[in-house]
Amino acid sequence: MNSVFDILFPLVVLMLLIYFMRGKTPVQYDERQIALRGAAYRLAFIVGIFSGYIEAFLLKRNLLPMDGSLALMTSSFLTITVYVVYAISKDVYFGISGNWKKWTLVIFVVGIINLVTGILQIRTQGLPAGILTSSNMDIIMGIMFLVIS
């Protein structure tokens, strides 16, 4: 039963995304938005580099309660989160004609679903060796989507 859910749920999410995006014209950005998006990419890149070094340092000393693969993904998700939050704070994420209300709701729902899925997985399977592993990525993704929304 669980494997059916694992297959059908991503398909349903993909179908909903396709439904929302069908027939839409590309989002237009003005010159200010393009420049600020470049600044957001630069800031996210710098944060990604530093977070990778910090996570490697903490992992080497067993101060981070996760394995290396989850730490790498956490650094990647942090980079994405920094880019999106910076772009939203500067009003450049959704473009001139973007439908921000709909996408904020979609991002929020995806975050809640990921967080609940991750928590239920820990409740049923526990934590191997007492640390988070790459199989617990749903929690990190859920937090990222909730911060973004």
Side-chain angles (χ1 to χ4, degrees):
M1 184 68 167
N2 195 19
S3 63
V4 172
F5 178 76
D6 291 343
I7 293 171
L8 288 180
F9 181 71
L11 291 176
V12 169
V13 170
L14 181 64
M15 288 172 39
L16 285 173
L17 287 174
I18 290 171
Y19 174 76
F20 280 130
M21 296 177 70
R22 65 183 164 85
K24 301 289 181 180
T25 59
V27 177
Q28 300 294 320
Y29 295 98
D30 62 16
E31 294 83 17
R32 179 192 68 86
Q33 289 175 319
I34 292 171
L36 285 171
R37 287 178 71 209
Y41 281 122
R42 187 173 39 256
L43 178 64
F45 177 75
I46 292 168
V47 167
I49 295 295
F50 282 120
S51 69
Y53 281 121
I54 290 169
E55 287 174 351
F57 176 80
L58 293 175
L59 278 173
K60 187 76 171 174
R61 285 150 185 77
N62 293 325
L63 297 174
L64 207 56
M66 61 180 65
D67 67 349
S69 60
L70 186 61
L72 179 64
M73 291 306 298
T74 302
S75 180
S76 300
F77 290 155
L78 180 63
T79 302
I80 294 167
T81 305
V82 166
Y83 167 75
V84 173
V85 168
Y86 182 84
I88 288 174
S89 72
K90 299 295 183 180
D91 197 30
V92 298
Y93 187 69
F94 292 105
I96 297 170
S97 60
N99 190 349
W100 65 271
K101 290 180 183 177
K102 175 176 63 176
W103 286 110
T104 302
L105 179 64
V106 168
I107 291 169
F108 180 76
V109 169
V110 169
I112 292 292
I113 290 170
N114 273 297
L115 199 57
V116 168
T117 303
I119 291 170
L120 290 177
Q121 181 180 8
I122 289 176
R123 286 190 67 200
T124 57
Q125 298 174 0
L127 292 175
I131 61 172
L132 294 170
T133 61
S134 59
S135 64
N136 303 114
M137 204 170 302
D138 292 331
I139 292 177
I140 306 298
M141 284 182 69
I143 293 169
M144 178 188 75
F145 279 111
L146 290 177
V147 167
I148 290 172
S149 69

